[in-house]
Structures are given as structure tokens and as C-alpha cells.
Amino acid sequence: MAVGVMDIEGGGASLPGKTTFQVVMCSIIAAVGGLMFGYDIGISGGVTSMDTFLLDFFPHVYEKKHRVHENNYCKFDDQLLQLFTSSLYLAGIFASFAASFLCRRFGRKPVIMSASIFFLLGAILNYFARDLGMLIGGRILLGFGIGFGNQTVPLFISEIAPPRIRGGLNIAFQLLITIGILAASFVNYLTSTMKNGWRYSLGGAAVPALILLIGSFFIHETPASLIERGKDEEGKKVLRKIRGIDNIELEFNEIKRATEISNKVKTPFKELFTKSENRPPLVCGTLLQFFQQFTGINVVMFYAPVLFQTMGSGNNASLVSTVVTNGVNALATVFAVIMVDRLGRKFFLVEGATQMMATQITIGALLLKYLHLVGPITSHAVPLIVLILICIYVSGFAWSWGPLGWLIPSEIYQLEVRTSGYFCAVAMNMVCTFVIGQFFLSALCRFRSGLFFFFAVMNVIMGLFAIFFLPETRGVPIEDMAEQRWKKHWHWKKYFKQN
Ligand code: BGC
């Protein structure tokens, strides 16, 4: 069991130590894992809307897209095209499960290193792809990179960061995801007019992978991981380096104590699923990620260019629109980094769900009225209005369910089940991303604008969930979560034996 996110948070806020160059450098390097994840999210949508890509791999979709009388909502409906986007997440689920064991046994550093190697190999295979097999094979390798990275990087940052800046650094991981998405949409914009432009877009994934690979030679293994594996002296040495002081005994002892408790738990997954006290965080943490995906965000992230084209924008205009939306995504995440510890988690979750619900209803209504089954959209203003609405929608996500879907699951579990619990959140993210990636275009074809109303209803449900079932976790030390929150909650208290 990983121990690092642990109880340093509790009493740890007063642990001595400086914010050293080593910590900042190690965290930035590790966060490049977020850049890798984001680049991939952002690149797929643009590539699947490029004519040259469709001609090379999906000629039937190309033909359908250009048929004047084709149903507007079904132009891109193709299971294989969707598999291109979603296969990565399927591979990611298996990889993050494997990573949850590997990083305990071998440490975080080798797993982060392997993540970058998988990602690099995937990028190379995709660059040279001659057929669909190579393309999907490359996606699976990328998926392994993402699975390894997403399971390990946030944990690594939490373990290496001084407690007082851990929350901010955690959201900085999400910030790098959004920067990756933005970078990818720029790349797509630049390559869309080039011959074989899709090769450069897909091959470009090698850049963040190489940065991570080279950088990972320079990062330290986390003290918690070293101590967990019996390397106490080495652990102390790293602690001295990253805290910039000699007197690290207090922190060392806290890690040691936490390690002893967590090492007693030999079957963390069994503990997680069978002990009733673990039920509330398990349900809330996993549902948070379920809802994060059912805000519909990846419909926009993966398919925004396709969506804009469906409304009749040209290829170029639709890629520009995507750059704009992704810019808003990154900026709004900065806002979250600054405000989330001031206004609290619940405020943002409820506000974000409301904002997303309102914009989705409006987009659905506009499409219903103006985008008919065949023929171009009947109003020129509509694509622009939809672009503005999508920006409002994305900002609502970026300061709420986006970062908090990752942050809250990392702060609500008891130490013994923290990594297995966190894995459940990561896995839920991957499963739901897969489902959305695989079925959205078919669903758009069948349900048309109704799909936006479906996501609007989901936003109402998740807003209610946040109001009634989620305790406010701002400012509560991790180890006091049960006492201060779960045991006092009107619903969850029944899972705790009263003593
Ligand atoms: C989500 C991704 C999403 C991204 C958008 C992340 O938190 O997990 O699925 O694409 O945010 O910024």
C-alpha cells in the first residue's frame, strides 16, 4: 500500500521543511504525465475530423461526410472510428490496475519511466501507421502510458510535495492536462492543411513522452516508497534533500508509522470492499468520477471539431473554435487553483453543474430548432452562439468537476485503502471515458439534439448528489475525515459503528 498521501496531511501541516528546488523540479517533471494525457485527449478529435486521415483509414466515413444528403447527425457515426478514440482508455484501465501493484513493489519512479516509454512507442507506431491495426496498436500502447502515468503521477506529487502546498499542486496536474489539450489543438490546427498532417499530430505525442522520459532520470524516488520497501536510510537521505533541512526525523517517523499500519493490510482491495466504514468514500469517490464523465465533457473534448463541422463550419473554422474552447478550459482551471481552497468544494460542484445544465439545454434547443436532418444549418449566427455556449459550459467544468473529480478522491480515504480506493476512481474515469468515446457519435446519430438534454439531466442529478451526499472536505485534515465528516453526515453515519 502506498503511504505517501497519508497522514502527513493531518499533523503534517506543521512539519518543518522548505519548498526546495528539488521538489518543484520533481513535481514539474512528473506533471508532464498530465501533459501526455491532455495531449492525447486533445489530438483525437481534430485528427478524426481531418479529411486526409479519414481518406487513409476510414474512406467510407469520408464519403459519408461529404454526401450532401447525408443525415447531419450521422456523418461520423462509425464504430471503428470511435474505437480509434476509445481503445486507449480500455488499455488504460488494465494498465492502471497493474500500476497500482507495480508502484508498490518497485517504486513510483520506474513506473513513471515505463509510462513515458509506452507513450513514446505508441506515438512512433502511430506516426508510421499504414493500416488500422497499427493505428489501434499504437493507441493501446498510449493507453498503457496513460494508465501507468495517471495512477502514479498524482500519488508521486502528493508524496513529494510539502503538505501545505499539496492541494494546489494536485490541481496543477489538471492544469497540465488542460495545457496538453490546448497544445494538441494548436498542433491540429497547424497540421490540418499539411499533406499527411495527421502523422505529425499523432507523432507529436512523442514530445511530452520524451520530456518525461529524460526528466524521469532526474527525479528522486519518493521517501514514502523507499521506506515502505525497507530502504530507510535512502529514504532519510532523499527527505533531507527535498526538504532542504537536516532534521527530518519527525516526518520520517510519521511515514514510518503510517507504513507500519498500511503494511499490515495485506489485501487492500478486500478491505476496501468489505469494511463498512470504507463504503462512504468508495461510493462518493467513484461516483465523482462517474459524474465527471457524464457531465459530457469529453463529448466536447473529443468531438468538438466534429460537432462544429456537423453544424456546417468549415474544417479550419472548426479547428479554430476548438483552440478557443481549449484556451477557456486552461484559463478556468487557473481560477480553480486559486479559488478552490477559499470557496470550498461543494460550492464549485453545485455551481458548475448548474452552469453546465443551463448551457446544454440551450445548445440542445438551438440544434433542435436550426439543425435539421439534412442540409446546412438554417441560421448563420447559430454556430457562433453554440461556440460561446460551449465556452461557458467548459469553464463551468474546468473549475468544478474537472479538478475536483481527481482531488476529492485523493483526500477522503483512510490511509490503509487510499491507493486501492484511488485506483477505483481512476478506473471509473477510464471506463466512462471509454463509453463516451465509443458511443457518443452513434448516440448523436440516433438521439440527435436529445443527447444534450440527457447530459443536462445528468447535471441535475450530480448537483443534487453534491448537495445531499457529499461532505465538504475543504480544510479538513485527511486523517480526521471520518470523525469530522462521515460520522456526522445524515446518511453516511450509519456505516460507522457507534462507540
Ligand atoms: C478529465 C478528462 C477531461 C479533461 C478536460 C479531466 O479531468 O478526466 O476526461 O477530458 O479533464 O479538461
Side-chain angles (χ1 to χ4, degrees):
M1 159 107 11
V3 293
V5 194
M6 44 175 231
D7 55 350
I8 306 175
E9 179 85 19
S14 57
L15 287 172
K18 306 169 193 157
T19 302
T20 58
F21 172 72
Q22 307 267 359
V23 161
V24 175
M25 195 194 72
C26 287
S27 303
I28 292 176
I29 291 173
V32 176
L35 206 62
M36 241 165 52
F37 182 38
Y39 186 86
D40 198 87
I41 294 170
I43 215 75
S44 329
V47 166
T48 47
S49 73
M50 284 180 195
D51 282 349
T52 51
F53 176 78
L54 291 176
L55 266 174
D56 283 350
F57 295 100
F58 302 92
H60 54 289
V61 181
Y62 174 82
E63 225 177 82
K64 209 155 93 164
K65 178 180 158 190
H66 290 276
R67 247 182 256 149
V68 182
H69 295 298
E70 183 60 37
N71 182 332
N72 270 324
Y73 292 94
C74 300
K75 284 185 173 173
F76 293 88
D77 173 21
D78 183 84
Q79 286 298 320
L80 273 180
L81 181 66
Q82 292 173 91
L83 190 63
F84 165 76
T85 300
S86 61
S87 51
L88 182 152
Y89 295 91
L90 214 51
I93 300 164
F94 293 106
S96 51
F97 185 63
S100 72
F101 290 98
L102 292 175
C103 72
R104 186 182 181 191
R105 179 135 168 62
F106 300 106
R108 326 300 186 226
K109 186 172 161 165
V111 178
I112 294 181
M113 224 173 232
S114 320
S116 64
I117 295 174
F118 276 125
F119 207 75
L120 186 61
L121 293 178
I124 295 174
L125 197 60
N126 273 349
Y127 178 83
F128 289 106
R130 299 260 165 269
D131 52 38
L132 206 56
M134 278 176 90
L135 206 60
I136 306 260
R139 296 289 290 171
I140 291 174
L141 284 172
L142 294 175
F144 270 81
I146 299 291
F148 270 41
N150 280 19
Q151 176 70 26
T152 319
V153 167
L155 198 73
F156 175 90
I157 296 180
S158 293
E159 286 181 342
I160 210 121
R164 62 185 176 281
I165 56 167
R166 188 158 55 229
L169 279 182
N170 199 309
I171 297 192
F173 174 67
Q174 167 78 11
L175 185 60
L176 270 142
I177 297 179
T178 61
I179 293 174
I181 298 176
L182 180 62
S185 53
F186 264 123
V187 173
N188 273 341
Y189 176 66
L190 294 177
T191 63
S192 64
T193 47
M194 292 179 190
K195 189 170 178 283
N196 281 335
W198 62 266
R199 282 194 198 280
Y200 304 113
S201 287
L202 296 182
V207 176
L210 268 176
I211 301 176
L212 186 62
L213 180 60
I214 296 168
S216 63
F217 283 98
F218 297 97
I219 59 178
H220 296 292
E221 182 53 273
T222 70
S225 170
L226 289 166
I227 298 164
E228 185 181 34
R229 288 174 295 129
K231 301 181 178 180
D232 287 12
E233 282 316 307
E234 234 179 290
K236 281 186 183 172
K237 216 163 99 188
V238 174
L239 260 183
R240 281 192 199 100
K241 262 196 203 144
I242 62 173
R243 296 288 174 254
I245 51 169
D246 278 336
N247 179 18
I248 40 76
E249 288 306 315
L250 199 59
E251 186 166 355
F252 173 79
N253 290 338
E254 285 215 23
I255 297 177
K256 191 77 192 161
R257 188 173 57 78
T259 311
E260 278 158 10
I261 301 172
S262 80
N263 276 350
K264 278 198 199 118
V265 177
K266 295 289 174 227
T267 49
F269 278 99
K270 192 169 159 218
E271 184 100 347
L272 177 68
F273 291 118
T274 53
K275 224 169 151 188
S276 82
E277 284 118 276
N278 292 327
R279 198 73 40 82
L282 178 63
V283 171
C284 290
T286 317
L287 269 183
L288 265 164
Q289 273 293 351
F290 171 83
F291 285 137
Q292 188 208 56
Q293 287 307 308
F294 278 88
T295 54
I297 186 65
N298 280 324
V299 166
V300 174
M301 293 297 133
F302 295 155
Y303 300 121
V306 169
L307 209 64
F308 290 125
Q309 286 197 11
T310 297
M311 290 186 303
S313 308
N315 199 9
N316 210 22
S318 82
L319 288 174
V320 173
S321 310
T322 310
V323 173
V324 171
T325 350
N326 292 339
V328 170
N329 189 19
L331 278 179
T333 309
V334 176
F335 181 65
V337 174
I338 301 166
M339 296 309 285
V340 78
D341 283 321
R342 298 186 195 178
L343 297 176
R345 287 41 167 161
K346 279 180 84 147
F347 168 80
F348 276 112
L349 290 175
V350 177
E351 193 282 333
T354 314
Q355 188 170 326
M356 287 186 279
M357 185 247 332
T359 43
Q360 272 158 338
I361 291 179
T362 322
I363 295 174
L366 282 172
L367 293 186
L368 192 63
K369 185 155 188 302
Y370 294 105
L371 185 61
H372 302 305
L373 281 188
V374 284
I377 201 150
T378 49
S379 156
H380 288 306
V382 169
L384 180 65
I385 299 173
V386 171
L387 172 64
I388 295 170
L389 286 168
I390 287 186
C391 288
I392 300 175
Y393 164 83
V394 165
S395 61
F397 174 87
W399 58 55
S400 64
W401 293 80
L404 296 177
W406 297 105
L407 174 62
I408 298 177
S410 82
E411 61 184 13
I412 53 177
Y413 284 101
Q414 314 231 35
L415 171 63
E416 309 85 83
V417 291
R418 202 160 289 152
T419 31
S420 42
Y422 195 70
F423 161 74
C424 293
V426 177
M428 182 57 92
N429 175 278
M430 302 259 171
V431 171
C432 295
T433 311
F434 169 78
V435 171
I436 303 260
Q438 187 64 34
F439 299 110
F440 171 70
L441 292 177
S442 306
L444 181 68
C445 173
R446 181 171 294 196
F447 301 113
R448 303 194 279 272
S449 52
L451 204 56
F452 291 91
F453 297 115
F454 164 75
F455 284 120
V457 171
M458 290 304 291
N459 274 292
V460 174
I461 298 174
M462 67 188 75
L464 293 174
F465 162 79
I467 294 173
F468 293 109
F469 290 99
L470 212 65
E472 174 60 62
T473 52
R474 175 179 70 122
V476 182
I478 296 188
E479 302 310 327
D480 290 347
M481 208 58 85
E483 288 303 320
Q484 287 195 29
R485 290 294 182 263
W486 300 118
K487 285 186 183 178
K488 292 185 181 157
H489 189 273
W490 70 273
H491 175 70
W492 299 118
K493 65 180 176 202
K494 65 178 183 227
Y495 290 90
F496 293 81
K497 283 183 218 87
Q498 299 302 332
N499 45 27

